[in-house]
Amino acid sequence: MKYSLPSRELIADSAETMLAAHCFDGVICIPNCDKIVPGMLMGVMRANIPAIFVSGGPMEAGKTPGGKSVDLIDVFIGAAAKKDGKLTAQELLDLERFACPTCGSCSGMFTANSMNCLCEALAWRCP
């Protein structure tokens, strides 16, 4: 998280570059995660083309072999437990594998959820 704003700028620059390089007339963006949504919004606005934004959705929570549901929050708690010596590196790795079992963005959808709501509320149109 030390490079939050620069990473957003990189995403915006990448989106703008690809849209301009391929001379797209419009684009459908499927963003997610905290920096991806604003970065793609910025890139599309810079390219000044029509765009549709559709949230990619969060990753599903996983289950341990014992049947307990685990997600990203459990991994955060596990990382703190490892730091305190209550969890081994292997146990944390196993927790990460169970908690993030599928493709998709993080299962937390913290700021990303807010950004997707904002994106929907904007319903902006390019001239």
Side-chain angles (χ1 to χ4, degrees):
M1 294 305 291
K2 293 180 181 179
Y3 301 100
S4 182
L5 292 176
S7 67
R8 186 192 67 195
E9 288 297 323
L10 249 148
I11 294 160
D13 292 345
S14 297
E16 179 186 15
T17 300
M18 293 307 293
L19 293 170
H22 293 283
C23 299
F24 288 136
D25 295 325
V27 65
I28 298 173
C29 296
I30 307 175
N32 244 341
C33 248
D34 298 354
K35 272 62 85 200
I36 303 295
V37 181
M40 287 184 129
L41 277 169
M42 291 166 56
V44 168
M45 284 190 277
R46 291 177 190 171
N48 197 27
I49 61 172
I52 295 172
F53 280 75
V54 180
S55 173
M59 177 187 304
E60 292 184 20
K63 291 197 181 294
T64 65
K68 179 186 174 201
S69 287
V70 288
D71 61 16
L72 186 64
I73 300 298
D74 295 299
V75 175
F76 290 162
I77 293 168
K82 181 187 174 292
K83 186 176 181 182
D84 291 342
K86 298 176 184 173
L87 212 60
T88 68
Q90 184 59 49
E91 289 170 326
L92 179 59
L93 181 61
D94 290 341
L95 179 61
E96 289 172 354
R97 288 181 178 152
F98 296 134
C100 303
T102 65
C103 59
S105 71
C106 77
S107 58
M109 290 290 288
F110 307 112
T111 305
N113 191 42
S114 301
M115 287 303 304
N116 279 304
C117 291
L118 173 69
C119 192
E120 184 176 339
L122 283 174
W124 57 277
R125 294 184 182 135
C126 291

